[in-house]
Amino acid sequence: MKSCIKITTLRAKKRKTSSFGSKVEELRTSTIASGNLREAVRLPPGEDIHEWLAINTVDFYNQINILYATLEEFCTPTTCPIMNAGSRYEFRWKDGITIEKPIVVSAPKYVEYLMDWIETQIDDETIFPQKPGAPFPPKFEDFVKQIFKRLFRVYAHIYCSHIQKVVRLGEDAHLYTCFKHIILFISEYQLVDKEELDPLKHLVEKILKP
């Protein structure tokens, strides 16, 4: 599939956020504004699936980047010395390039590694093409699946370790809406294996219940 995507890069705190601009993005934004998230995740008629995945990948990355930034005061190497989701699930970091074997890191360090890694993927035009007519790579969906698997882990950590802080900040409804949106998108395109969603299994099942 070919792309005609324009990418803009902005800096937010120590990390960057990126957004695509196109007719597809306008369709997505208008549907989300209607409040129908199930409809919002569906591929618009006649649109390219790879471009749709690319646009949403970047937007979900932006979303969790902003959400996590509100919790950085509470999620520190001291409070969260490991990246986990409760006592049963621990997430170790590797990128396969500079860190080839999984290592134990604090939650904020894991998120920092993750955001930098995703940014690198987005900025790589061989993965997320920006020039009109440039093709997406054959394994583009594999890159997207890896990104969504790891983004889910940030939500899992927030819900398992910081939900009380989120409630006190009055951001719990917003957090749930963002989580519901990404879960519906993951489900629509089968981007994350079911067992990877187990840390928040009951919440995921509630969202996906017809």
Side-chain angles (χ1 to χ4, degrees), residues 103-118:
I103 59 173
V104 177
V105 293
S106 66
K109 177 57 70 173
Y110 185 100
V111 175
E112 179 183 340
Y113 277 140
L114 174 59
M115 298 307 170
D116 288 345
W117 175 78
I118 294 175

Side-chain angles (χ1 to χ4, degrees), residues 9 46 64-65 69 79 84 92 95 102 126 132 146 152 186 190 193 199 205:
T9 304
I64 192 62
N65 212 344
T79 61
N84 65 345
R92 300 185 179 189
D95 58 19
T126 67
Q146 187 73 350
F152 170 82
I186 285 171
Q190 298 297 297
D193 291 340
E205 290 177 345

Side-chain angles (χ1 to χ4, degrees), residues 5 17 48 54 98 101 119 123 146 172 182 198:
I5 298 172
T17 58
D48 178 69
T98 59
K101 295 182 179 181
E119 181 187 332
D123 288 344
Q146 187 73 350
D172 48 312
I182 196 171
D198 280 350

Side-chain angles (χ1 to χ4, degrees), residues 11 19 27 61 68 80 83-84 87-89 110 126 151 176 182 187 190 193 197 201-202:
R11 179 168 293 278
S19 59
L27 285 169
Y61 160 71
Y68 183 76
C80 305
M83 178 62 172
N84 65 345
S87 60
R88 294 182 56 194
Y89 302 95
Y110 185 100
T126 67
L151 286 178
Y176 180 75
I182 196 171
S187 176
Q190 298 297 297
D193 291 340
L197 303 176
K201 181 179 180 180
H202 296 302

Side-chain angles (χ1 to χ4, degrees), residues 47-66:
E47 298 300 335
D48 178 69
I49 179 63
H50 285 166
E51 186 169 351
W52 183 244
L53 289 175
I55 288 168
N56 281 277
T57 299
V58 175
D59 284 346
F60 282 120
Y61 160 71
N62 286 336
Q63 196 172 76
I64 192 62
N65 212 344
I66 295 169

